[in-house]
Amino acid sequence: MPPKKHSYLNREVLVTQEQTDAHHAERERKRAEKRKARPGQPAPSRPPGLRSSGAAPAQRRARPAEDDSLPDETEYVEDAGAGAGGSAAASGSTGGTQHAQIMQQRYQDFRTQQPQNVLDLQAFAAHAAAAEAQQAPSDAQRTLMQRADLAAKHQHRCAAGATARAEPGSRQVAYFSDRAPCYVRVPMLVCPCGFRQEARPLQLGCCAPTARCPQQLFDWQLLNHNCATKHGGSDAFASTLRYKWTLLEWEVGSGGPPLDPRALGAATMEFRRIKDAALRPDALGGLGDVRRGLGPLPDCPACAIFDVDVSHWQGVVEDYLPFGRHLTALAGDACVKLTHYVKAGLSLMGCKPAMRRFIGEANDNYQEAYRRSDAAARAGAVAASGSGRSGGSGARGGSSSDASGARGASGASGSGAAGAASGSGASGSGAAGAASGSGADGSSAAADEAAAASECPRLRHSCAREEVKRGSSVTDINGHVALVCTHGMPACGGIILMRSAENFSMYDELLTWFTGRWQLRDFYLDTGCIFKKHWARLNLPQPRILVGWFHAAAHVVSCFVKNSGLFAQGTGRRIGENCEQAWSQAKEWASPARFMSEVNYNDFNEDQYSMLTMGKARKFTKQLIETAKLNAKKTSAAAASMEAVIKLAEAGGISKEEILEAVRNLVDPPQPEPEDDMTVRARQMAAFVGYDLEIKALQSSSSGYFPGAAFKDVRRGSQDTARIQKLMGQRDKSLSRIAAPSPDSPQYRAGMVQHRTGRLRECIGKIEQLAGTLQYLHHERPRAGAAGAHSKQLERKKQATRASLNDTIKDLQYWAGLRDASGQPLPDPEGLLRGLPDHWTDDFIDHVIESNGDMWAGAKKLGKAAETAVLAARYHQAAAEVERGQEAQLITKAELFKAKQYYALMAQACERDVQRAESLAAQTVAGARAAAGEASGRGGSAELERASAEQTVAVLVGRLKEWYERKREETPDSMP
């Protein structure tokens, strides 16, 4: 098989105007030959004045001979042949293997040159970029010469005291910028001392797609724009550039080199890595040590950990204010948009990522635990198949894609996700399940291997998501699990790449890693009501686990009141949904990321998280003030809502004292009285009858009706099998104190009466509640206008409520007409059906809604209780919002106070680092000149170049200090 073509490695790159003209002539000749082969068809035409887009030709030319090959391409092919044991034919390697070797060698070349590239980019950002920003735009060659002059002046230090300069070079390359593509000659850096060297790409403010003798240069501004363009990837950005260049053709001329999107993508990815290593504050001098001492959120002024001077704080220092040396709050969630295709980028398999800030040690621990658990599951599947039990638990564990690992006391000190929770058993472990019974069939070796690979039971702590088969997925990374602060900034080391469906072991690993290093006060999770029970069993630090406001509102009322962050003291208006805001931005870069190699996928996401963090940090003070103003409005609206609830209750005949009593019962529900044995038996019998009726409805061969949200029209189908099995299991569990009765027994009939009475009570209360809602909407819509958006929203809500009311009436009619096994009607011990309308017509319902009447006389008491419970929940929620809003005002004031000290702290750290770098540079220069002597020094000195690098860092840190001081001045002393 011939080697796989690659657009910027295995194809001739056009580097001169003559080659470009010849390329276009050859393409036109081939097009003419194709037109001759298809007589009678008109020749394609373009509107006059528009030139070709410059895309790569449809038919690529064969790889040129070795003497005409690019220097970098020849070296890559030679290295690949040598690495494979000689030539490709001798080694028997395929084209795909050669391509993988070329790509991995190119990646290693970049990693080898990265230290020098970092120094070059720092020098360019400190000197050339700042000088260029103050000048008018010039032609490309002149711009590169100016950049080379500054690079020669600031990077080459001659011991003899001479000054290096730039001269035009002889090698021509393709140069791409925002203005237009063109051909330029690479400048040479020369010095009277004899130094002569071709300027490196980063010294010219450019980056190349290859590291050895690059033939294409992409300007840093163009690459920055491509980094900021998240949606569509390099192909879409290249199309935009071609269109822009076409529009500017009248100004800059035509005939430039064609743009290769793959080369643009390769240069952009390498520019991301170099920029991260060169210009990130952690990489500048001694700032890295200072920032590491600020905790996992060094860019968030309110969440960074440092000693806050509260001597000038005006007010009481509450324990929930962000003044202590702890993390105030983190929110966790998973994003399934950031996937990665399993077969994408296999040529770079095994290469290590260059950027490790957000995807760090916690992810490494989890991936190792997942790898071990996956090996244990596979060994369990082998043991199960060897023992002839392919359908056993071991085979199921082998095909499962869930991540291993719960955690226990041993997991806390180990790799995290590999620890086993107490009481977990081996029910979730395919390996352990297979090993337990495989020795009798002669497969003891496989069983021993499975037991050795499985250090702990393979458990899945689900987040209420079904398991997926591993073989059915086209992705090897199914998304990200992340921790962010309450201001939306991702935590360093707080991201895990999901190799399976979301599960609790991922949050186990993250929380174990964080709580082992810092104290955490609050942790938000959308399934926190379940996770807190799991986490409480572990012998680990216990933060307060809450559910975000948005997700908690969808839980049942009792769970909402107990676990929502809305009702937690000292949280302010931290809604706990900050991950969702970050994931909304991830949608833009998810599409191009999933097609990358895994190493590029990792570094690309790291860069995007860094950009997200920097964007939040730049707007921190402004966003904090705007949020505080919005919170004040919401607090006022919540206070008005409290008064509206009381007025609505009084209009319905419910006093304020009844509402407050219902609120107390909601917050602290009265404990039920102990049930005697007779009551327990009756309740279990009613539960048994309820399960039995639903099972019979599902097992019915003909179409039927059964009440319930998921079973309106019941038809026998394959999807009902799992539901039937689940109901049978629940029915069997209800028989702890009673025996299974026959349908015609008196016990079964008594249980049917009790179950029917409970369902009737629920239907009556719901009908009253829905009728009241419809009455409100009927009278509110005319006041909202006929064509407004609010009126349309009320109309949609009215239609949905009416449909729900019709379904509930249908459920009520079913339970009212229920009969026993002999066909006899069931009694109504509570008189719930007295006054039931004879006909449930639309006219009757409309009359009740328009007249504000009751459905029937006997239902007012139940309807009032249901309405009181709903109004009490609304009142309690509004009162909590008012209380959280008052806390939020104090928290925002404290965060502004802390942010001002944060900016002052970082400015002082920058000042110390500038003084350190300048002092070190001066000492180095003095020592080098004293050692070399004024007359005998020849050539560049390594010590002087190191001094130049220190001076460059001092310039960059000085600018960062100015930025911190400017932010400190922008931060107000108090809320405006």
Side-chain angles (χ1 to χ4, degrees):
M1 188 175 82
K4 181 180 178 181
K5 298 289 184 181
H6 199 282
S7 57
Y8 63 96
L9 290 179
N10 289 27
R11 186 171 64 83
E12 183 178 6
V13 179
L14 308 178
V15 296
T16 64
Q17 187 65 52
E18 292 76 12
Q19 291 177 351
T20 302
D21 295 340
H23 167 74
H24 289 303
E26 179 70 12
R27 185 170 61 179
E28 292 299 330
R29 184 186 65 79
K30 290 182 178 180
R31 288 178 177 175
E33 292 178 354
K34 289 182 179 179
R35 286 195 295 270
K36 291 180 181 179
R38 297 193 300 269
Q41 296 184 4
S45 61
R46 294 191 303 272
L50 292 181
R51 62 182 176 89
S52 171
S53 63
Q59 292 185 353
R60 294 176 178 172
R61 297 162 56 183
R63 183 175 178 273
E66 185 172 341
D67 54 344
D68 295 328
S69 299
L70 300 179
D72 54 339
E73 182 182 349
T74 305
E75 294 176 8
Y76 278 129
V77 174
E78 289 175 354
D79 290 347
S87 64
S91 63
S93 61
T94 64
T97 304
Q98 291 182 15
H99 177 68
Q101 292 173 345
I102 292 173
M103 294 297 293
Q104 292 185 16
Q105 183 62 42
R106 184 185 71 88
Y107 184 80
Q108 295 302 327
D109 289 343
F110 273 124
R111 300 284 69 75
T112 302
Q113 296 185 11
Q114 183 166 9
Q116 184 60 54
N117 289 337
V118 167
L119 297 176
D120 292 343
L121 183 57
Q122 288 177 345
F124 174 79
H127 308 293
E132 190 175 318
Q134 302 175 359
Q135 298 176 359
S138 59
D139 62 274
Q141 188 68 58
R142 185 182 305 172
T143 299
L144 294 185
M145 288 296 296
Q146 292 173 353
R147 294 176 180 178
D149 264 328
L150 291 173
K153 176 181 177 182
H154 292 284
Q155 284 193 271
H156 172 71
R157 292 301 181 91
C158 180
T163 302
R165 57 186 176 85
E167 291 183 354
S170 59
R171 190 167 72 90
Q172 195 173 30
V173 297
Y175 175 73
F176 300 91
S177 65
D178 279 338
R179 288 182 55 82
C182 61
Y183 296 103
V184 296
R185 297 190 180 277
V186 181
M188 299 293 295
L189 307 183
V190 297
C191 180
C193 69
F195 171 78
R196 184 177 182 85
Q197 175 182 300
E198 185 179 81
R200 295 183 291 270
L202 266 301
Q203 290 179 317
L204 303 176
C206 302
C207 194
T210 55
R212 303 187 187 182
C213 194
Q215 306 293 327
Q216 303 178 68
L217 299 180
F218 293 88
D219 190 78
W220 71 276
Q221 292 181 338
L222 183 145
L223 297 177
N224 250 343
H225 293 166
N226 192 17
C227 291
T229 305
K230 303 179 180 65
H231 187 69
S234 295
D235 289 323
F237 186 72
S239 300
T240 305
L241 280 177
R242 294 192 192 104
Y243 183 75
K244 177 182 177 181
W245 294 338
T246 303
L247 296 179
L248 294 176
E249 182 176 328
W250 61 271
E251 178 182 352
V252 300
S254 60
L259 174 64
D260 188 346
R262 287 183 176 268
L264 173 62
T268 304
M269 181 57 65
E270 190 53 36
F271 183 72
R272 294 178 191 273
R273 296 186 176 108
I274 299 174
K275 182 177 65 173
D276 179 80
L279 302 181
R280 185 161 47 90
D282 292 355
L284 297 177
L287 288 183
D289 297 334
V290 177
R291 288 169 58 85
R292 279 188 289 272
L294 298 177
L297 294 160
D299 295 300
C300 181
C303 298
I305 300 176
F306 62 94
D307 294 324
V308 181
D309 183 9
V310 296
S311 59
H312 297 87
W313 170 252
Q314 298 178 358
V316 181
V317 181
E318 302 287 351
D319 59 347
Y320 59 82
L321 296 180
F323 292 156
R325 295 190 62 86
H326 61 267
L327 294 173
T328 305
L330 291 175
D333 195 18
C335 176
V336 296
K337 294 191 287 285
L338 295 168
T339 58
H340 178 260
Y341 288 134
V342 66
K343 293 185 178 181
L346 297 180
S347 56
L348 288 176
M349 182 181 297
C351 295
K352 300 298 183 182
M355 301 162 64
R356 284 177 54 87
R357 184 185 180 193
F358 299 98
I359 308 173
E361 184 178 348
N363 177 71
D364 295 342
N365 294 341
Y366 182 80
Q367 302 303 329
E368 177 63 20
Y370 180 82
R371 184 192 63 78
R372 291 203 309 269
S373 70
D374 194 55
R378 294 178 184 275
V382 171
S385 60
S387 61
R389 299 193 305 107
S390 60
S393 61
R396 289 196 300 270
S399 63
S400 168
S401 70
D402 60 284
S404 154
R407 169 182 329 280
S410 61
S413 60
S415 64
S422 59
S424 58
S427 59
S429 171
S436 60
S438 59
D441 297 320
S443 58
S444 59
D448 294 341
E449 182 181 356
S454 178
E455 299 177 2
C456 63
R458 186 172 188 265
L459 287 183
R460 179 178 194 268
H461 299 287
S462 172
C463 292
R465 296 184 182 180
E466 295 292 332
E467 291 182 306
V468 294
K469 294 294 184 65
R470 184 179 183 86
S472 63
S473 177
V474 298
T475 60
D476 56 351
I477 298 176
N478 299 322
H480 293 184
V481 169
L483 300 184
V484 304
C485 73
T486 54
H487 306 91
M489 299 187 192
C492 296
I495 294 175
I496 281 181
L497 306 182
M498 296 167 52
R499 301 286 179 176
S500 67
E502 179 188 9
N503 57 79
F504 284 167
S505 61
M506 301 173 184
Y507 299 105
D508 284 348
E509 186 61 63
L510 287 172
L511 277 187
T512 301
W513 193 81
F514 274 85
T515 56
R517 291 161 175 79
W518 304 283
Q519 180 184 355
L520 177 61
R521 179 182 174 87
D522 296 329
F523 176 62
Y524 290 87
L525 187 64
D526 52 3
T527 55
C529 52
I530 306 173
F531 180 73
K532 66 189 302 183
K533 300 176 183 178
H534 155 70
W535 186 257
R537 295 196 300 265
L538 309 181
N539 187 22
L540 294 171
Q542 299 291 325
R544 184 169 54 173
I545 299 177
L546 306 170
V547 182
W549 291 19
F550 175 79
H551 285 88
H555 294 205
V556 296
V557 177
S558 58
C559 178
F560 173 59
V561 173
K562 184 179 180 181
N563 298 300
S564 175
L566 173 61
F567 305 103
Q569 298 289 332
T571 57
R573 293 192 65 91
R574 301 188 182 108
I575 61 174
E577 305 290 351
N578 309 90
C579 275
E580 305 294 342
Q581 300 169 6
W583 298 146
S584 66
Q585 301 185 38
K587 183 179 180 180
E588 298 179 349
W589 79 74
S591 179
R594 60 173 60 103
F595 296 96
M596 299 178 178
S597 62
E598 189 166 338
V599 60
N600 288 343
Y601 171 88
N602 185 294
D603 291 345
F604 177 77
N605 281 284
E606 284 274 358
D607 183 65
Q608 295 298 331
Y609 285 126
S610 295
M611 293 174 63
L612 173 64
T613 302
M614 289 297 101
K616 296 282 186 181
R618 292 189 188 100
K619 301 182 296 183
F620 177 82
T621 301
K622 180 180 178 181
Q623 191 67 36
L624 199 63
I625 295 175
E626 292 178 354
T627 303
K629 294 179 179 179
L630 182 61
N631 289 342
K633 295 180 180 179
K634 291 183 177 180
T635 302
S636 301
S641 179
M642 292 175 60
E643 299 178 0
V645 170
I646 296 299
K647 291 180 180 179
L648 184 61
E650 293 176 348
I654 304 173
S655 64
K656 183 177 181 179
E657 289 71 19
E658 291 177 320
I659 293 292
L660 296 179
E661 180 64 24
V663 169
R664 286 190 289 270
N665 293 335
L666 187 64
V667 176
D668 188 13
Q671 298 296 327
E673 297 181 0
E675 297 178 337
D676 56 11
D677 187 69
M678 187 65 68
T679 305
V680 174
R681 289 174 180 269
R683 178 169 50 79
Q684 291 185 356
M685 183 61 68
F688 174 85
V689 171
Y691 293 133
D692 193 62
L693 291 175
E694 188 169 349
I695 291 172
K696 290 178 180 178
L698 288 171
Q699 291 177 339
S700 176
S701 58
S702 60
S703 299
Y705 175 83
F706 189 81
F711 300 97
K712 288 298 180 185
D713 294 318
V714 178
R715 290 178 175 86
R716 175 69 172 169
S718 59
Q719 69 273 16
D720 298 330
T721 304
R723 176 67 178 170
I724 291 174
Q725 293 177 353
K726 182 178 180 180
L727 289 172
M728 286 182 174
Q730 293 174 338
R731 184 184 63 178
D732 295 340
K733 290 181 180 178
S734 65
L735 300 175
S736 61
R737 297 191 183 183
I738 60 175
S742 59
D744 55 353
S745 64
Q747 294 84 0
Y748 192 93
R749 191 174 190 273
M752 185 179 292
V753 170
Q754 185 174 353
H755 181 73
R756 172 178 175 261
T757 301
R759 301 289 81 77
L760 286 174
R761 190 182 298 109
E762 291 179 1
C763 291
I764 291 171
K766 188 175 181 180
I767 288 174
E768 281 288 326
Q769 177 186 346
L770 294 173
T773 303
L774 286 172
Q775 290 169 358
Y776 166 76
L777 294 174
H778 175 75
H779 296 286
E780 177 69 16
R781 188 173 183 271
R783 293 195 294 267
H790 182 54
S791 178
K792 295 179 180 178
Q793 182 181 5
L794 292 176
E795 180 62 26
R796 289 192 297 267
K797 186 175 182 180
K798 181 179 179 181
Q799 293 175 1
T801 308
R802 183 63 177 267
S804 180
L805 176 62
N806 294 335
D807 292 340
T808 308
I809 290 175
K810 193 174 182 180
D811 293 349
L812 178 67
Q813 291 174 330
Y814 175 88
W815 293 116
L818 188 65
R819 296 176 178 269
D820 60 11
S822 61
Q824 296 298 320
L826 297 175
D828 182 14
E830 298 185 8
L832 297 176
L833 301 179
R834 287 196 299 269
L836 187 70
D838 296 332
H839 302 286
W840 293 90
T841 62
D842 290 340
D843 293 338
F844 170 75
I845 298 175
D846 291 339
H847 171 72
V848 172
I849 293 172
E850 295 172 2
S851 61
N852 290 338
D854 298 325
M855 284 294 182
W856 57 87
K860 185 62 179 177
K861 183 177 180 180
L862 292 175
K864 181 179 179 181
E867 186 177 0
T868 302
V870 173
L871 292 176
R874 290 175 55 185
Y875 182 87
H876 183 47
Q877 181 176 352
E881 285 199 44
V882 172
E883 187 177 356
R884 299 292 84 75
Q886 294 171 353
E887 293 173 352
Q889 293 180 359
L890 187 60
I891 290 175
T892 303
K893 179 182 176 182
E895 288 177 342
L896 289 173
F897 180 81
K898 182 178 180 180
K900 208 168 184 65
Q901 294 196 18
Y902 168 84
Y903 292 132
L905 174 69
M906 295 306 298
Q908 294 172 5
C910 291
E911 177 64 26
R912 290 194 300 269
D913 201 61
V914 169
Q915 295 176 0
R916 179 201 61 80
E918 291 178 346
S919 174
L920 182 60
Q923 294 176 5
T924 304
V925 170
R929 294 198 181 279
E934 291 293 337
S936 61
R938 297 287 296 174
S941 170
E943 290 78 7
L944 293 176
E945 292 182 358
R946 285 198 296 270
S948 176
E950 290 292 341
Q951 291 176 349
T952 297
V953 170
V955 173
L956 295 176
V957 176
R959 293 179 187 170
L960 187 60
K961 171 197 169 186
E962 296 175 359
W963 184 84
Y964 282 125
E965 290 178 343
R966 187 167 62 252
K967 285 297 179 181
R968 181 176 179 272
E969 294 175 357
E970 294 175 359
T971 305
D973 295 326
S974 60
M975 283 296 300

